[in-house]
Each structure stands twice: as structure tokens, then as C-alpha cells.
Amino acid sequence: MITDTTSGNRGLLQAEPLIFESGHVTGTGVDLPAPKGTPNKLGGLTRKAALDLPGFSEPETMRHFVRLSQKNYAIDLGLFPLGSCTMKHNPRLNERAARFEGFADLHPLQPTSTIQGALELMDELAHWLCTLTGMPAVALSPKAGAHGEFAGMLAIKAALEARGESHRKRVLVPSSAHGTNPATAVAAGFTVDEVKGDEDGRVDLEDVVAKLGPDVAAIMITNPNTCGLFEPDIKKIADAVHAAGAYFYCDGANYNAIVGKVRPGDLGVDAMHINLHKTFSTPHGGGGPGAGPTVLSAALAPFAPVPHIVLRGGTRELREHTDGTQAFGRMCAFHGQMGMFTRALTYMMSHGSDGLRQVAEDAVLNANYLLARLKPHFSAPFGDRPCMHEVLLDDSSIKPAGVETIDMAKALLDEGYHPFTTYFPLVVHGAMLIEPTETEPKRELDRFADVMIALAERVKAGEVEFFKQAPKLTPMRRLDDTRAARQPKLRWRRGQNDTGAKVAAE
Amino acid sequence: MRYLPLTEADREQMLGVIGAKNVDELFVDVPKAALLKDLVDLPKAQGEIEVHRHLQRLAEKNTPAGRTAFFLGAGAYRHHVPASVDHLIQRSEFLTAYTPYQPEIAQGTLQALYEFQSQVAQLLDMEVANASMYDGSTACAEAAMMAARVTKRKKIVFSGGVHPHYIDTARTACEALGLEIVALPAAVDDEAAVMKHLGADVAGVIVQSPNVFGTITDITKIGEAAHGAGALLIATFTECVSFGLIEPAGAMGADIVCGEGQSIGNALNFGGPYVGLFAVKEKLIRQMPGRVAGETLDADGKRGFVLTLSTREQHIRREKATSNICTNSGLCQLAWTIHMTLLGERGLRQLATLNHEKAIALADALDKVSGVEVLTRRYFNEIAILLKKPAQGVVDALAEKGVIGGIAVSRLNPKAGMDNVLIACATEMNTDQDIATFAKALKEVLQ
């Protein structure tokens, strides 16, 4: 072991057992009024078994979660270059606005006379999204990017049904696509037909054309794509798809690279989800919440899911049911991620159209700067052309020395950086996908590039063991994924801490 | 622009290193015709003062729940959230972290997920829980699709007590897959009616308790019948505080329990973001959608946590994945776990008891109003009442008197044939004065 202490602590970093191991069921950190003892109306359905949930006082709760927080990396600590995840600065003004009582303390089913400001905010957000993308309509309710994909594909399905062409079941998805794309197409009831990528990391236009036919419902393309490249044939692909009677779904996960510079509507897109948390900076919170509004072309707009906001004589009302509309249905119980709408609109207004355009330009500039600095030291499979917002490297220059992508990632942890995205996209062997985003200053990019280059030098010097031992300085060393999957232990159970693990306090 | 750190000098220098004359050379792959020359027709950048003012103005056009006598539930609940919860989730290391793909530097998130899964399983009396879904309604849709995968059958039966928006959400997802949804007529107290629809083609029956009308149901017999017919029993809920007081579905034989977690740790937020709770019997874990954290060891033999069972997930299985879920509700889940840690068993039981007592007080007060009949006999914190007038008109009239007095069933489900039924809810946030105000206003409106 690297750290050998009695407490399991490590300098300022303290070991922290599970709440179940240190709390007690009689503890509590809330003071509530005492119940009156009214006879219950539960019809004999009172809970029988104990909950066995430990409770902590407020100071203990603060310490537990603050200590846990110190075992996390975050964008506010440093560069978080996860490609295709888009970890950029999260302005705190967004947080403040989302917590205004007039937004946070609103019930989704209040009478519409009491929520006019909230509906106006949704309309404003819709206006920004439609104007930026050049699309006539947007469905706000999808709760995350993948949920937005689902909404777009269901709109396509509904439009095909309305045309009497429900036999169109095949969806073309490039091999480089996000895994959610094929999963979504299947969830929407389609079959997936994989389209090849060409040698340059782009969708192969000829293969698309060859695969188009009267049974094709749509193509799903991520643009800019997951190799960090803009699809130069995008318009030709869109035209061919439309000529074949199919629709063009664009995965908008990487919209931050072109916001304010290119309108997807001008490229022939029929539907595209927008990850508000990526392009418009709402925080990722260790895995969400996200929000995935989906912009729709005129052909698909009538099929947008409910609820819809309708303006009647200066008052906004909600249409909440599909009756009398062509809406394909409902995506979730209420109106979507209002908290994220507030944050995204705050961000959009702060930047304005000029700032958002600068966002795209700086994101692309930062990525190309890193590419220029790293290209001489690593293998960049598509590095002979400009990239968009992310840089794709692979492990072909380091693997012969015995160092793989995962080792490079773990070595970066000891250097104080969150690693790049590992092994994605799947079409590139040993992929390392780096996305700096527009909120990184030049000196931060230079420091990161210096560290990457120093690591490449260590590979060249044959320091394989250095990489295999990494990370040495993190709160945990390399964790055993195989063990977790083979012997799943997914929760605490009283009297069953039998993994043989050295618990922190030992 | 205050969020963009590059200076003009930086940009020039960087373009020099790249070997480009200007930034548009980097957009060379964009078709020329599609590259916008002018700015998009939207306002220009604004300072923090202006943006704050604008958002504040929009917020002030709304009536927040806390400024009225407020009795709305039906899927979203107003509860006290301790100040420390919001403080903790705003810590940078939680707020601005990503999905824990590198577990060595994400143990904070991962341990909190593991604690969440443990707390949810304890609360619902189930064997395993996943690490948060978008919300209750989408969790319910995932449960329906999961039942179809597990049983290889195509029909899902919903009781008349399930929240209509949950049924609509599940219908959207299930019908896309070619599954058949049978939604029974709305009923204040008849979850057991689903048993009449059991057959060899039924994948699962979905019941809700407490249901959308507030009724609590013993679902044990429904479970036995479902299992006898080879179907799964799926129990859903919208008010998770109830399980501090009432028997949870896990103890009554449910195979999948799914519902809304918003009540603990999360504000109303006008409908989102929320956090879905999802728990299953252990034998079903490999068919469970969504992310899950598991315990393991690190290279030094220390206990740690990782995301696991990812072979079910879209980033590996692509078109064969159990679901397309990618991002989840991590931060809402964290708020849930922090609040639940503050409550503990003692606090949760007390909170649940308070809620129930407030609902009894509300039922008693409304029952005394002429033209009102309380329909719900066994309830937790929510009741259905029959009015002598259409409920939507009553709700609107109450709003004019400063009372947000529940939700008309006709708004949730215009085809329910329950135009005169109102669903009202009381929580620990309602004072005796609020209840008296509601009763008085209702009396005036019904006159």
C-alpha cells in the first residue's frame, strides 16, 4: 500500500465509511413538530418491518458529504477534457436564477394563471433554440439527450405513419455513432443498419446512398461527429435521404462546436436534440440531470409531443392531451426539466448571439491548438485536417512500448487531470478523445499539453512500470471492474460486509 | 464576455501555432453556403445585472407555492428540504463533476450512489435498486418495457389508480416497441381490477399505491395472481415519503417497484428535474435499465466503488441495450441521499406521520363543507373529494382567492368521467390556518 496509516486517512483526505456503518437509526438531523397522535386512516397498511435507515445530525451529515465530495474531480478543480461530454465552466448565475422562488417553488399543475412567467420562460427558450438552429419548432419535454433522440425518432415514426408509410422500418446509423443512437432507434421500434465510415473518419456517402431504399425511415448522424470532425458531405447526405423519402435525425450532442456559426436547419436536418447541459452549460452533477429539447423541421413539427404552450389573447395556456392534435404522445409526467431551462436561458442571454458564436469559435480554436501541440508526439488518426471541438488521438504510437490508452489515462490522474474519454469512438482502436471546450484559458491548455508530452517522453524512455502502477496518488488505486461485475454487490446489507475489503477504519 | 478566457492576443498566437490565418479556416469542412456570415437574429451579450433582472422579472410573474394556501400533489409534492441539502449539492466537486467514468477520482459520487441504492432498497423493501432514473413517469415506462423483456410477452395492464400522465408516458414508449397497453377506467379504489385482465399474454400489471386518488392498497393478492399467470407485479408511486409509514410494495410481493423520488431532497421545480426510484428482485438485475454502482476492491485491497453491470448498457450493447438511458439524475439522487441521511429512520417516520395527520385534518375540514364528499377511505397525505360542481371551475375560482386547492381529475384525464372530482394533498408545509383558509374558500366557491 502506498499510504500506511492507522486511520486510513491520507493527509487532509479522510477515509469515510458508509452512512450505514457509522450512523444509527435513532439519529436525525431534522427537527420536526411532534405528531399529535391522531388515529390513522391507513386501513391497516402500516409499515411492519423496520426501515433500518441510519440518520445523522446536521454536522455529521455535512462532514460525511463534504468528505465524499473531496474524493471527486470536478471542472471547478481543473481541466476536464472528456471528449463528447463537454465539461465547461458552469456559471453560478445560472444556479441562482434556477433557485428563484418563482421557478423552484412552482408546481407543474398549478392553475395556468399562476405560472405565466414560467410559460413565458419556456417560450423564450424555445425562441432561442429555434432561431439558433433555424428550425421551426421544438419539443422541450425530453429529460436528457438520449430522451431527446427518442422524441425525435418518435416524431419521425408518427410522420411516416401519417404518410401511410409505416413499412419504413430501417434506420441507418454510422459505426461511429454514440451508442445511444442505435439503442434509441431500436427503442422506437426500428431496425438498425450500420453505415461504414471512410478512411478519414467520415460517414461514407456512397455507402449511405447504396443503403437507401423504400424501407428506410431515417438516418441518424452525429454532426460534428464523434471523431471530432464535421461531415463535409452532410448536405449531400441530407438531400439523398430526403430524395429517398426518409428523414434526417442529427445527434446534437456536439452542437457546441457550431452554435451561432451554422444552423442545422440549413443542413437539411429534420430533428435534432440539444443537450442543454453541454452546449448551454447546465451542470452535469456527477451524471445529470440533463435536458434534451428536440428541434423539429416543418415536416415533423405537428407531431411534437404534448404539452404544448398555446397563446390565447395574451395569456399562455397549456395543451396537455393528444386529443385533436397530431402529437405522438407524452415524453414524461410534466413539462420537462424546468430547472435546466432556467439555467440554459440564463447562459444564452449572458452570451448573446455574439458570445455564442464566439463559444463555437473558441471551442474549435482550443481543440485545434491542442491538436497542433500534441500531433508530433502522439498518433492522431485524422490529424491532417482541422478538427472541430475535440481532438482524437489513438494509442498506436505508445502501444508498441507496452503502454495503452487506459495506462495513459491513469497516469494523467496522478498529474492532477481528469483523463480524456477512453476507447471512444469505437471505430478507432485505443481512442483518446480530448475536448478542452471554450472555457479553458491558453495557459491551462499549455500545461495540459506539456504534461501529455512529458508522458509521451516517458513512454519513449521505456518507463512501462510507471504507467502500470498508476494511479498512485488518488484516493483509490486502480479499481477492479471485473470483480464488481462478476460478484455484484450493489447495496449495503446489515451483517453482510463480507467482501474481505479493508474498511477504511481498520 | 465574462465566461470566455481567451484574449485576442491568445487567439492570434494560437492560430499561428496551428498555422491558420483565421478561425474560419478551421471550419473548412462546413459547406460554404451553410456557414453563417451574420450573427443570428438574437440579442447580444448582457452583463450579470441585466440577465439577473430579466430572470427575476419572469420569476415574479409566477405565484410560488409558498406564497399561497397550497394543496397540490398528484405527482409532485411540496416538502421542507433542509438548507444543508442545497448547500452540499452546490459543492463544486458534486455540482460540476461528470458521470464517474474514472472511479479512482469519483469515489464521492460513486459512494453516494451506492448509499442511494441501499437507502432506496431499504425504503421500498426491495433487494436491489439502480442509480436513478429521469423521474417517476419514465421509470414506470422503463418498468413496463422491462416486464416485456423478462416475460417475452406483449401486454401491460395499468390499474385505474395509476397517474394518467404515467400511463401516457408508458404508452408512448411501449407502443413504439409494439407492446399493447390496457389502461383500466379511472377508479378511486380498485387496484385489484387488474386481476380480471390477467392472461397468458400479460407481461406485467402496474398498480399504484398510494394511487393518484390517494388510496393505499394491499397489493399482495394482485401479486399472487400475477405470478400465478406468469406476469410480473409492478408497483409504482408518486409520494415516496409515504413508505415511512405504510407497508412498501416490496413487502407485498412486487417484482419491480418504481416511482418518483422528488419528495425527498428536491424542490417542486415546475415538474423537473426530478429523480426516479427503481428497484427489482435480485434475479432481475441483468434486465434492469439504467446505471448501477457496485462494490469492489482497488489495487491495494481497499474497498471502493465503480459503475458496474455495464454490459447491459447502450455504450457497449448498442442496439441490444436494455435501454437508451445515458445521463441520469445524479445530482437529484444526491440531494435525495443527503436528505434521507438527515432524516434517518426516526426523521422519516416522523415526517410521514406529520403528513398523514395533516391529511386527516384536511379531510375532516373539507368533509364539513356542504357539497363536498371525501371519496378516499385509506390514504396517506392525499385525498380525492367529490364536489357538487365541476372541479376545474372550482380550482380556478379558488386560485382567484389565493388558494391553490388541488387538481381537477379532468385536467389529468378528461375522459375519466370524474369532472366533479378534485385531488388535494396536505404535507408538513401546510399550517392549520392554511387548511381553514382552504375550507372557507371552498365553501364560498361552492355556494
Side-chain angles (χ1 to χ4, degrees), chain B residues 284-434:
Chain B
L284 299 175
I285 56 174
R286 286 176 201 273
Q287 285 296 330
M288 179 170 68
R291 289 201 170 126
V292 58
E295 191 179 306
T296 190
L297 301 178
D298 82 346
D300 290 333
K302 282 199 290 183
R303 178 182 64 185
F305 304 93
V306 293
L307 288 181
T308 191
L309 301 184
S310 56
T311 47
R312 307 165 298 118
E313 283 190 59
Q314 41 74 22
H315 58 269
I316 293 180
R317 293 247 297 173
R318 297 171 78 85
E319 68 265 28
K320 294 191 180 73
T322 52
S323 90
N324 76 337
I325 285 187
C326 185
T327 300
N328 59 14
S329 285
L331 207 63
C332 300
Q333 159 272 320
L334 180 69
W336 196 94
T337 289
I338 296 169
H339 190 183
M340 193 56 98
T341 301
L342 283 161
L343 287 165
E345 171 147 8
R346 194 173 121 211
L348 182 66
R349 281 186 182 276
Q350 194 176 348
L351 177 64
T353 306
L354 277 172
N355 270 260
H356 187 47
E357 288 189 343
K358 292 287 185 190
I360 293 170
L362 175 68
D364 288 350
L366 297 186
D367 199 41
K368 292 194 183 80
V369 177
S370 167
V372 171
E373 182 191 342
V374 176
L375 299 175
T376 318
R377 290 170 298 158
R378 305 175 307 277
Y379 54 85
F380 171 64
N381 68 357
E382 199 156 13
I383 53 172
I385 58 175
L386 179 65
L387 308 172
K388 66 177 184 184
K389 288 182 181 172
Q392 188 57 54
V394 172
V395 167
D396 294 338
L398 285 169
E400 284 181 21
K401 291 176 177 291
V403 175
I404 296 187
I407 173 95
V409 172
S410 60
R411 178 164 172 196
L412 292 176
N413 180 1
K415 293 176 187 157
M418 293 189 178
D419 287 359
N420 287 16
V421 179
L422 182 78
I423 300 169
C425 171
T427 72
E428 78 280 6
M429 304 300 274
N430 293 109
T431 62
D432 294 345
Q433 181 60 48
D434 287 341

Side-chain angles (χ1 to χ4, degrees), chain B residues 248-282:
Chain B
M252 296 190 278
D255 300 285
I256 305 173
V257 184
C258 55
E260 181 55 66
Q262 173 267 331
S263 289
I264 304 282
N266 287 279
L268 284 169
N269 280 328
F270 197 52
Y274 288 176
V275 53
L277 309 185
F278 196 99
V280 301
K281 289 275 167 59
E282 196 140 26

Side-chain angles (χ1 to χ4, degrees), chain A residues 1-41:
Chain A
M1 269 183 84
I2 299 297
T3 321
D4 192 8
T5 65
T6 307
S7 61
N9 297 343
R10 192 185 163 112
L12 291 177
L13 199 58
Q14 304 196 27
E16 188 61 18
L18 294 169
I19 49 171
F20 299 91
E21 292 159 348
S22 46
H24 193 273
V25 292
T26 59
T28 190
V30 291
D31 290 326
L32 292 165
K36 292 175 180 159
T38 316
N40 78 55
K41 299 275 180 84

Side-chain angles (χ1 to χ4, degrees), chain B residues 231-243:
Chain B
L232 300 186
L233 172 63
I234 300 165
T236 192
F237 57 88
T238 57
E239 174 52 293
C240 64
V241 170
S242 64
F243 302 119

Side-chain angles (χ1 to χ4, degrees), chain A residues 410-472:
Chain A
K410 299 303 180 194
L412 271 175
L413 295 178
D414 279 341
E415 301 288 348
Y417 285 103
H418 195 288
F420 37 72
T421 294
T422 53
Y423 301 106
F424 186 80
L426 303 174
V427 289
V428 172
H429 195 273
M432 302 184 249
L433 191 62
I434 304 172
E435 181 173 4
T437 82
E438 72 280 3
T439 56
E440 289 307 323
K442 178 174 176 294
R443 61 184 167 277
E444 195 70 50
L445 301 177
D446 281 326
R447 271 181 51 186
F448 178 73
D450 291 345
V451 168
M452 286 288 286
I453 292 164
L455 289 174
E457 296 295 332
R458 297 188 84 140
V459 175
K460 264 192 217 145
E463 296 181 42
V464 178
E465 206 43 31
F466 167 83
F467 287 93
K468 297 294 174 190
Q469 286 297 316
K472 298 190 197 73

Side-chain angles (χ1 to χ4, degrees), chain B residues 2-227:
Chain B
R2 61 192 179 278
Y3 305 142
L4 298 175
L6 295 186
T7 63
E8 271 313 315
D10 289 337
R11 292 186 183 111
E12 284 301 315
Q13 208 185 337
M14 291 162 77
L15 284 167
V17 172
I18 295 163
K21 279 200 267 323
N22 56 53
V23 78
D24 274 344
E25 278 191 19
L26 304 176
F27 288 81
V28 66
D29 285 335
V30 178
K32 278 243 154 31
L35 201 58
L36 293 177
K37 284 176 192 66
D38 299 322
L39 288 174
V40 182
D41 186 20
L42 287 166
K44 300 288 188 302
Q46 295 180 55
E48 190 154 337
I49 298 169
E50 290 78 20
V51 178
H52 186 283
R53 192 177 288 144
H54 180 77
L55 272 292
Q56 184 81 60
R57 194 180 57 76
L58 286 178
E60 281 167 5
K61 287 188 183 178
N62 303 313
T63 307
R67 298 282 175 90
T68 61
F70 182 85
F71 296 90
L72 249 175
Y77 301 87
R78 182 157 186 268
H79 289 291
H80 169 67
V81 179
S84 51
V85 174
D86 194 42
H87 177 87
L88 283 166
I89 66 165
Q90 285 201 70
R91 278 190 66 89
S92 283
E93 306 91 327
F94 287 132
L95 185 77
T96 76
Y98 196 68
T99 307
Y101 288 144
Q102 298 288 339
E104 294 84 359
I105 49 165
Q107 285 299 301
T109 293
L110 285 158
Q111 182 170 333
L113 288 174
Y114 189 82
E115 292 178 338
F116 171 77
Q117 288 165 203
S118 305
Q119 287 172 322
V120 171
Q122 297 282 113
L123 179 71
L124 303 177
D125 206 348
M126 290 294 282
E127 290 169 354
V128 198
N130 74 8
S132 86
M133 318 283 286
Y134 306 138
D135 73 347
S137 64
T138 51
C140 184
E142 290 286 353
M145 292 187 285
M146 180 177 161
R149 277 199 304 280
V150 169
T151 60
K152 301 189 166 56
R153 296 177 177 184
K154 286 191 171 289
K155 191 192 279 184
I156 309 285
V157 183
F158 280 86
S159 89
V162 178
H163 195 297
H165 289 181
Y166 281 40
I167 301 175
D168 290 346
T169 302
R171 190 192 305 278
T172 299
C174 289
E175 290 185 349
L177 281 178
L179 306 178
E180 183 192 349
I181 295 281
V182 177
L184 302 187
V188 172
D189 183 5
D190 196 9
E191 301 301 295
V194 294
M195 290 201 277
K196 293 182 205 131
H197 296 265
L198 282 167
D201 55 345
V202 174
V205 293
I206 303 190
V207 297
Q208 183 175 328
S209 179
N211 73 14
V212 71
F213 301 101
T215 304
I216 317 172
T217 306
D218 182 349
I219 57 169
T220 312
K221 288 209 169 64
I222 305 172
E224 287 164 7
H227 296 149

